[in-house]
Amino acid sequence: MSSNSPLPRTALDALHRSLGATMTDFAGWDMPLRYRSERDEHLAVRTKAGLFDLSHMGEITVTGPQANRFLDHALVGNISSVGVGRARYTMICQEDGGILDDLIVYRLGEQEYMVVANASNARIVLDALTERAAGFEAEVRDDRDAYALIAVQGPESPDILKSLTDADLDGLKYYAGLPGTVAGVPALIARTGYTGEDGFELFVAPEHAEKLWLALTEAGSPVGLIPCGLSCRDTLRLEAGMPLYGHELTTALTPFDAGLGRVVKFDKAGDFVGREALLRAAERAEQNPPRVLVGLVAEGRRVPRAGYTVVSGGEVIGEVTSGAPSPTLGKPIAMAYVDAAHCTPGAPGVGVDIRGSHEPYEVVALPFYKRQK
């Protein structure tokens, strides 16, 4: 896309503007950053419910008799073991083990899967999957324009959705999905999210997105549901200790460097892209632990940002990957990769260099926030 081309807009763009949203360029899309107060939107999701437009995410459909074997080869997880109607968090890596993206894979049928990539990496993932499909009886289809994605997140979200569907939400487990109808709109109803709260992600045809958004707004407004932008989505996922590609995850890191080696399944049948490099990364991590992703909580009020150095005793011991004020904790927080010697919660003398001043921070275990079941 040239610098003069307009940013792509979601099917809900006009609705966002009518609601007074502040729009921003996010991953090449024109997306709502906030509607009014980021803090109010954040706290609504923590205590009531929030409504998000996530239609910038990249949906890629994989079908065919060898779809499961192909995805086992292309991704680091054991996708063959995912049951129909279930979903799995996984990653796609380069041959050298670097993380290309983190993904959710939904198994829609015996021979049908939907891979959901981050918006910024959707084309990269699509191209990699298309290339890796050679030799398999599997078709990779770009379905990014076939879906709008609306998320309703927060403790009130199950009751809001129940009022609009007869789908069995009580039987729908976390990381599972089922086809259903919501407010008369055909949808894939998935119990997934990126906020640390209970909630649902609804995949629908773009032409139905506005009808569904308005129905959810009408059903949820009496219990406090409000529209939410990307800014509060970031603070919600940060409090929940969830990684963001380009911050906690990059091609310079393997899953083992990121503390997510558990997603790599060496015991699955067949070879997979990056296997040898990831075996070496696993051995390195065991013998000489890499920097560890930790939480940092400020003792003062200054907010750390990505790229700021973490220090102790005058030495650089790490780097902040994400930082923001936490509406739930009432203090600035950050995620950072730090040397293993300083990763223990309560490690003494740790600070963040904020414009030349070493501000004191407490090392804590992630996540910062965990919802009550």
Side-chain angles (χ1 to χ4, degrees):
M1 185 188 301
S2 75
S3 58
N4 296 323
S5 300
L7 295 172
R9 299 178 174 186
T10 76
L12 293 165
D13 180 78
L15 191 54
H16 297 318
R17 293 172 193 276
S18 74
L19 293 170
T22 298
M23 306 298 287
T24 189
D25 177 351
F26 183 82
W29 286 77
D30 207 5
M31 297 295 293
L33 183 66
R34 71 181 73 83
Y35 295 84
R36 294 182 193 85
S37 159
E38 296 164 9
R39 183 177 182 278
D40 289 350
E41 292 172 24
H42 180 111
L43 294 176
V45 176
R46 285 279 177 257
T47 60
K48 297 165 186 172
L51 194 58
F52 296 85
D53 179 10
L54 306 178
S55 302
H56 60 313
M57 300 293 281
E59 295 87 5
I60 302 161
T61 301
V62 178
T63 57
Q66 293 185 325
N68 58 341
R69 285 182 52 197
F70 157 60
L71 288 171
D72 279 347
H73 165 75
L75 310 179
V76 301
N78 187 347
I79 308 304
S80 293
S81 66
V82 179
V84 174
R86 298 308 302 265
R88 182 156 298 165
Y89 176 79
T90 188
M91 294 181 183
I92 181 168
C93 289
Q94 300 177 146
E95 198 68 67
D96 67 0
I99 303 166
L100 278 175
D101 201 13
D102 60 334
L103 313 165
I104 296 180
V105 179
Y106 298 87
R107 189 167 192 173
L108 305 181
E110 285 297 330
Q111 298 184 11
E112 183 179 6
Y113 297 81
M114 182 168 66
V115 178
V116 181
N118 286 296
S120 58
N121 293 328
R123 169 52 64 180
I124 293 169
V125 173
L126 177 65
D127 289 347
L129 289 176
T130 301
E131 180 182 332
R132 295 175 189 188
F136 290 92
E137 290 183 72
E139 179 191 349
V140 176
R141 187 173 72 236
D142 181 1
D143 271 347
R144 289 177 293 169
D145 294 334
Y147 291 101
L149 177 55
I150 296 173
V152 55
Q153 298 278 301
E156 296 286 352
S157 58
D159 286 342
I160 293 168
L161 204 54
K162 281 178 189 177
S163 72
L164 297 173
T165 184
D166 58 5
D168 179 18
L169 299 186
D170 289 334
L172 187 64
K173 296 179 173 145
Y174 188 49
Y175 265 69
L178 80 170
T181 302
V182 182
V185 170
L188 171 65
I189 305 168
R191 201 163 206 153
T192 45
Y194 195 50
T195 63
E197 297 297 337
D198 193 10
F200 302 87
E201 295 183 320
L202 308 171
F203 296 84
V204 299
E207 60 266 27
H208 296 149
E210 188 167 326
K211 177 183 177 182
L212 180 57
W213 180 282
L214 293 173
L216 287 163
T217 299
E218 184 178 352
S221 293
V223 293
L225 175 142
I226 61 173
C228 295
L230 292 174
S231 184
C232 86
R233 190 167 184 252
D234 189 49
T235 54
L236 288 160
R237 70 93 194 167
L238 176 55
E239 288 184 351
M242 295 176 168
L244 175 64
Y245 195 88
H247 289 254
E248 288 72 41
L249 308 174
T250 71
T251 53
L253 297 171
T254 73
F256 295 94
D257 297 320
L260 291 166
R262 64 182 180 277
V263 306
V264 181
K265 304 301 181 185
F266 293 116
D267 57 352
K268 62 180 174 177
D271 195 11
F272 62 92
V273 177
R275 179 187 176 92
E276 291 307 314
L278 289 168
L279 277 170
R280 293 192 296 271
E283 291 170 8
R284 284 197 308 271
E286 194 167 330
Q287 294 163 8
N288 183 23
R291 284 183 166 175
V292 178
L293 189 64
V294 300
L296 299 174
V297 177
E299 295 182 19
R301 309 304 304 172
R302 298 188 73 183
V303 179
R305 299 297 182 190
Y308 287 9
T309 55
V310 183
V311 294
S312 180
E315 299 292 324
V316 173
I317 61 162
E319 184 175 302
V320 171
T321 53
S322 297
S326 165
T328 304
L329 276 63
K331 300 176 179 179
I333 60 172
M335 287 198 282
Y337 283 109
V338 302
D339 294 344
H342 300 271
C343 72
T344 306
V350 173
V352 176
D353 186 338
I354 301 180
R355 298 187 184 90
S357 173
H358 290 188
E359 301 290 327
Y361 272 74
E362 180 187 0
V363 177
V364 300
L366 293 169
F368 302 96
Y369 165 85
K370 200 167 187 179
R371 72 181 175 94
Q372 300 298 309
K373 300 291 185 183

